[in-house]
Amino acid sequence: MTTKFIATPTGTKAILAKYKFFFKKSLGQNFIIDANVLENIISHTGINKDSGVIEIGPGIGGLTEQLAIHSNKVLAMEIDQRLIPILGDTLSEYGNIEVIHQDILEANVIALLKHHFEDNQVVHIVANLPYYITTPILTKLLQEKLPVESITVMIQKEVAERMAAKPSTKSYGSLTIAIQYYTVAEVVMQVPKQVFMPQPNVDSAVLKLTIRDTPPVNVDDEDYFFSLVQACFSQRRKTLRNNLTNYFSEKYDKETISAMLEEFEIDGMRRGESLSMEEFAKLANSFYRA
Ligand code: SAM
């Protein structure tokens, strides 16, 4: 990598100084200053010269620049108004980038996709996410069932591990199920703190979510399913029977829950963390139909 890129210590410092830019911690502003790390991230995204890319939070454009080099078109949404003119300057030599001033949580992403990309263009989402809103952003993107191929994001390492976890591990929980219902989740890279400016307090990892065409299980009612899964993890050390007794306290007593679990052929003495997605689907559908 040469130093002509934005994402180098000298390139970034020069831009910050030129614009007298100061970081806003409240917006999760930790910029990547290592173009090799960006190359590595991009190698995991699956993008190519025909791809459309949506980037969330371009900052001063370090990742945006690399995405533009490796794809057909980049649409970047940045909440911080101060960065819009800076991006206009730092990315001026790339004709395939559009930057819009937009809070991703307020965005109509389906309308933006229709407006900015060709009908049959394969689109990927790539971002170094602001860590303070990782889960709301990913939940929004997945619940809206966007027609995108994948979502590759740099996030806090512990959160990435929870999203990609396997049953019967410490990281496995309701967030795992919420993410893996919509995607195949994989931690593809660990990233040291030293590649950010300023350095964050937490370790980071890159998570790749490949969107599923259909969910891996059939559930009668998605809201019911997700809320029952959450209930099964509400107190991790408690058995299914105890967590479900609390959850259904206005409807069923403990003996009834025990009898129902027996009828559904699910061992009530197990803990939520030991259930697979299939077993959660069976549990939720059984209670839903009861
Ligand atoms: N992409 C740059 C990089 O990798 O160096 C910056 C990443 S920084 C971790 C997160 C960026 O997201 C910041 O530029 C921040 O201003 C922006 N951001 C924070 N909240 C946002 C939101 N709700 N919508 C869009 N952008 C947001």
Side-chain angles (χ1 to χ4, degrees):
M1 286 295 154
T2 67
T3 51
K4 75 183 169 72
F5 291 131
I6 299 166
T8 62
T10 44
T12 299
K13 276 186 198 147
I15 294 164
L16 299 179
K18 179 173 175 190
Y19 291 98
K20 299 188 172 51
F21 182 84
F22 58 91
F23 294 103
K24 276 197 186 162
K25 213 176 167 192
S26 63
L27 291 178
Q29 293 179 335
N30 301 92
F31 299 165
I32 299 177
I33 52 165
D34 186 329
N36 290 312
V37 168
L38 295 180
E39 278 276 340
N40 204 350
I41 294 174
I42 287 171
S43 73
H44 290 288
T45 60
I47 64 172
N48 60 40
K49 282 292 198 181
D50 296 322
S51 311
V53 180
I54 289 186
E55 187 194 2
I56 299 155
I60 57 170
L63 175 58
T64 327
E65 175 178 53
Q66 299 300 327
L67 290 169
I69 292 169
H70 291 89
S71 72
N72 174 256
K73 179 172 180 185
V74 184
L75 171 67
M77 299 179 214
E78 174 55 60
I79 197 173
D80 188 346
Q81 173 64 54
R82 299 173 306 156
L83 288 166
I84 305 301
I86 300 179
L87 287 161
D89 178 18
T90 59
L91 300 173
S92 60
E93 67 183 85
Y94 300 94
N96 60 343
I97 301 174
E98 278 187 66
V99 175
I100 55 176
H101 179 217
Q102 174 73 59
D103 176 350
I104 182 62
L105 293 177
E106 301 293 326
N108 180 343
V109 184
I110 299 243
L112 289 168
L113 275 163
K114 279 209 179 98
H115 186 72
H116 291 273
F117 298 99
E118 303 294 330
D119 281 348
N120 55 358
Q121 189 162 25
V122 175
V123 178
H124 300 260
I125 298 178
V126 184
N128 170 18
L129 284 181
Y131 292 180
Y132 74 107
I133 44 168
T134 298
T135 305
I137 291 176
L138 290 177
T139 308
K140 172 191 162 86
L141 297 176
L142 295 177
Q143 282 177 350
E144 288 184 1
K145 300 194 164 81
L146 305 173
V148 298
E149 184 97 352
S150 71
I151 303 176
T152 304
V153 281
M154 171 101 75
I155 59 177
Q156 189 179 335
K157 183 169 163 265
E158 282 70 24
V159 181
E161 283 167 353
R162 281 165 59 199
M163 291 180 173
K166 303 249 182 302
S168 300
T169 61
K170 186 167 99 312
S171 303
Y172 187 70
S174 54
L175 187 61
T176 315
I177 300 291
I179 295 292
Q180 296 185 16
Y181 181 77
Y182 297 108
T183 73
V184 176
E186 193 188 354
V187 176
V188 293
M189 259 175 86
Q190 311 275 345
V191 183
K193 294 183 174 101
Q194 291 73 17
V195 308
F196 298 94
M197 188 188 286
Q199 286 187 24
N201 297 323
V202 294
D203 290 322
S204 302
V206 177
L207 178 78
K208 178 166 188 191
L209 303 174
T210 306
I211 309 294
R212 296 180 189 273
D213 291 336
T214 50
V217 292
N218 285 319
V219 297
D220 293 341
D221 181 305
E222 288 182 354
D223 290 341
Y224 188 93
F225 169 69
F226 289 126
S227 115
L228 188 126
V229 169
Q230 220 159 19
C232 293
F233 285 104
S234 64
Q235 289 185 271
R236 283 188 79 88
R237 306 310 301 161
K238 284 200 172 180
T239 61
L240 281 182
R241 189 184 62 185
N242 285 343
N243 273 329
L244 289 170
T245 300
N246 279 342
Y247 182 62
F248 286 118
S249 62
E250 295 192 350
K251 212 169 166 195
Y252 305 120
D253 62 20
K254 192 168 189 167
E255 284 66 41
T256 312
I257 292 284
S258 294
M260 290 170 91
L261 285 168
E262 201 163 320
E263 188 195 323
F264 305 154
E265 296 178 341
I266 294 167
D267 179 359
M269 299 314 285
R270 288 172 67 184
R271 295 200 180 110
E273 65 192 20
S274 76
L275 267 69
S276 65
M277 175 100 67
E278 290 71 23
E279 290 175 308
F280 275 121
K282 179 180 170 196
L283 184 70
N285 287 344
S286 300
F287 274 103
Y288 187 73
R289 292 170 197 170

